[in-house]
Amino acid sequence: MIWRTIVVGSACTIAMMACGGEPKAADTGMAATSAAPAATADTSATAMAPAGSTGAAAAAGSAAAKPATGKTWDVKMQGDAQGYRFDPANITIKAGDAVRWTVVDGPPHNVAFWADSIPKGAEAQLQANMPNTMGPLSSPLEMNPNATYTVSFAGVPAGTYKYYCTPHLAMGMKGSITVQ
Ligand SMILES: [Cu+2]
C-alpha cells in the first residue's frame, strides 16, 4: 500500500506527461529514464550537452581566441517567479562585438551553443573565443550572483547563434545572438 503510493506519486510528479498521456508510458523504467536528464541537468548535462560535435571540437583546438574590437552587449541570466530566462533573449550585434552574460538570480546558469544551430564554419573560432569551456561550445556553470561570462564574436561568420542554459533548458532558458 505504501510502496504503491510512493511509486505512483513520484512517477506523476517527475513525468506528468506520462501520467496524463499514454497508459504504456506509466512503466516506471521508462519514466525514470526520460525524466532523469531534466531533473538532474545541473550535474549530468555536461556529457550530453551539444550532440555530434566531437570531431569539430578537436578541430577547434587549432583556432586562437580573437579579442572583441567593438561594443559589449549585456544579457542577464535570471531565474525567479517569472521563470528562467536570458534577458534580452534575442539580440543582434555586429561582427567583432562581445556579449557579457551576468548572473542576476536563480543560478547556476551557463551559456551553451547548439553546434548544429550556428553558422557553417563558426564552431572552431567560437569555441576558441569561449573561456574555460566545460564541454564543446559550453561555458562553465556560473554559481554566484554578479558572476559574468563574456564571449567575443570576433572572427566568426555572420548569422544566428542559438544557445541555452544547460541546467534550465527544460525550463525554456534559451536565447539567440544574430551577428551582422
Ligand atoms: Cu539557467
Side-chain angles (χ1 to χ4, degrees), residues 108-133:
H109 298 297
N110 81 334
V111 173
F113 292 89
W114 277 287
D116 60 359
S117 86
I118 63 177
K120 285 236 183 304
E123 185 165 358
Q125 188 64 56
L126 180 60
Q127 176 72 33
N129 288 0
M130 295 181 71
N132 308 316
T133 49

Side-chain angles (χ1 to χ4, degrees), residues 89-97 99 113-123 126 152-163 175-180:
N90 307 301
I91 59 174
T92 298
I93 70 174
K94 300 232 182 308
D97 287 350
V99 177
F113 292 89
W114 277 287
D116 60 359
S117 86
I118 63 177
K120 285 236 183 304
E123 185 165 358
L126 180 60
S152 161
F153 285 83
V156 298
T160 298
Y161 295 71
K162 293 181 183 172
Y163 68 94
S176 74
I177 295 156
T178 298
V179 178
Q180 290 183 324

Side-chain angles (χ1 to χ4, degrees), residues 7 106 112:
V7 169

Side-chain angles (χ1 to χ4, degrees), residues 77-78 84-86 106-110 165-169 173:
M77 307 163 98
Q78 296 185 272
Y84 289 93
R85 62 202 184 277
F86 293 104
H109 298 297
N110 81 334
C165 168
T166 305
H168 303 127
L169 173 59
M173 189 166 174

Side-chain angles (χ1 to χ4, degrees), residues 17-124:
M17 304 271 294
C19 289
E22 313 148 32
K24 288 188 178 175
D27 170 78
T28 51
M30 282 187 64
T33 303
S34 59
T40 61
D42 57 343
T43 53
S44 67
T46 309
M48 55 176 255
S53 57
T54 311
S62 59
K66 290 192 175 168
T69 53
K71 134 171 209 183
T72 297
W73 300 75
D74 282 301
V75 176
K76 296 174 193 164
M77 307 163 98
Q78 296 185 272
D80 56 25
Q82 295 174 46
Y84 289 93
R85 62 202 184 277
F86 293 104
D87 178 25
N90 307 301
I91 59 174
T92 298
I93 70 174
K94 300 232 182 308
D97 287 350
V99 177
R100 175 174 54 214
W101 286 269
T102 301
V103 175
V104 175
D105 41 31
H109 298 297
N110 81 334
V111 173
F113 292 89
W114 277 287
D116 60 359
S117 86
I118 63 177
K120 285 236 183 304
E123 185 165 358

